[in-house]
Amino acid sequence: MARFRCGACGREGEFAYDPQHHECPRCGSFDVVFALNIDELPDEFVQMLLQAETLDGEKNED
Ligand SMILES: [Zn+2]
């Protein structure tokens, strides 16, 4: 699920994010901001982000 807020009608809510449908489900405007909540991301994805930072640090040590 992704949070969204529409800049046209002010609608806020949650829905299943679909990259092919960026428009507001209420008014159809494309002036919509999406926000993925990190708490809702899969653990594998969070670990990948954390590991990316770690690898960067290890590179500096070398
Ligand atoms: Zn809207």
Side-chain angles (χ1 to χ4, degrees):
M1 300 292 279
R3 297 193 66 81
F4 77 92
R5 184 171 64 151
C6 178
C9 69
R11 172 82 171 178
E12 290 185 56
E14 290 187 352
F15 77 115
Y17 179 71
D18 182 346
Q20 292 187 322
H21 293 90
H22 289 275
E23 70 270 19
C24 173
R26 184 188 192 190
C27 72
S29 169
F30 289 95
D31 186 14
V32 180
V33 176
F34 294 100
L36 291 172
N37 193 332
I38 194 165
D39 291 338
E40 297 169 1
L41 295 176
D43 285 345
E44 294 83 7
F45 188 78
V46 176
Q47 288 299 318
M48 192 177 69
L49 291 176
L50 294 175
Q51 285 179 2
E53 287 185 20
T54 303
L55 287 175
D56 216 31
E58 286 177 356
K59 233 186 272 179
N60 290 338
E61 284 179 17
D62 201 299

